[in-house]
Amino acid sequence: MQHLCVFCGSSAGNREVFGVAAGQLGAAMVSRDMALVYGGASVGVMGAVADAVVASGGEAYGVIPESMLDDEVAHDGLTELYVVKSMHERKARMADMSDGFLGLPGGLGTLEELFEMLTWSQLRIHSKPVGLLNVDGFYDSLIHFLDQTVAAGFVRPEHRAMLVVDSDVARLLDAMVAWQAPTIEKWWR
Ligand code: AMP
């Protein structure tokens, strides 16, 4: 995995562990020669992961819609910052540039981005790994809910299993690198 796209909060959240985990991820990515692709902000968990990659000497690519340049406080220390026309263009660009997608703690934008990549995997638009770093149990209830979607007959177990979850950065990256897309004839029942 040469380019890893990280989705995470534009806020820092209210637990110190969120920023710590972002720093660990950034350092681990650089030690594995993985470049960062992300939303291009300098704030929140987004800023923390980019700062860690840059501080460790790695490559960090930001993709930001022009309407967000002021709002999101674009990071000025990146390898490259791509300014695009729209949110849709941003997400498509990040998806094209990346070999995998990883979610850190975040809010609605993070969830939307992560689930878009998971549904694109289900539809076989791409066959790249999608991972979730469950920092300090932040995603426990979401993981439980996903299991409920399987129990209720809305999601196939194979599709549920596409989301690679771990609380440990190194284990998660290892599992994402080893991940193979499921071979299912049809995504619908
Ligand atoms: P959040 O997790 O809400 O802090 O947002 C994290 C990232 O998602 C930021 O780069 C936001 O610009 C982006 N974002 C926010 N809302 C949306 C949305 N509706 N669709 C896609 N991305 C979004």
Side-chain angles (χ1 to χ4, degrees), residues 38-168:
Y38 84 119
S42 62
V43 293
V45 181
M46 296 174 76
V49 70
D51 286 346
V53 168
V54 171
S56 303
E59 292 181 7
Y61 300 91
V63 186
I64 196 163
E66 55 191 10
S67 61
M68 280 190 173
L69 272 178
D70 295 336
D71 289 351
E72 284 208 293
V73 197
H75 201 296
D76 61 8
L78 303 177
T79 311
E80 193 85 53
L81 180 71
Y82 301 106
V83 179
V84 294
K85 293 278 177 213
S86 68
M87 193 70 96
H88 282 100
E89 195 186 335
R90 175 204 230 181
K91 292 191 295 177
R93 184 80 162 264
M94 291 198 297
D96 286 345
M97 287 174 69
S98 307
D99 311 303
F101 311 95
L102 188 155
L104 281 173
L108 298 177
T110 302
L111 295 172
E112 194 270 348
E113 291 164 339
L114 187 81
F115 278 98
E116 182 172 55
M117 287 308 110
L118 206 50
T119 51
W120 284 12
S121 185
Q122 177 175 267
L123 295 171
R124 288 180 285 180
I125 294 171
H126 70 73
S127 51
K128 302 171 183 178
V130 183
L132 186 65
L133 189 67
N134 188 16
V135 178
D136 198 26
F138 176 73
Y139 282 118
D140 282 354
S141 51
L142 181 73
I143 294 160
H144 178 66
F145 179 73
L146 286 176
D147 292 335
Q148 274 184 253
T149 66
V150 177
F154 286 110
V155 178
R156 287 180 181 232
E158 298 92 332
H159 288 145
R160 159 66 186 88
M162 290 187 317
L163 182 63
V164 182
V165 182
D166 210 299
S167 57
D168 179 80

Side-chain angles (χ1 to χ4, degrees), residues 2-22:
Q2 291 181 323
H3 290 83
L4 177 64
C5 182
V6 177
F7 302 129
C8 54
S10 50
S11 307
N14 58 12
R15 285 187 235 165
E16 207 178 313
V17 282
F18 299 148
V20 172

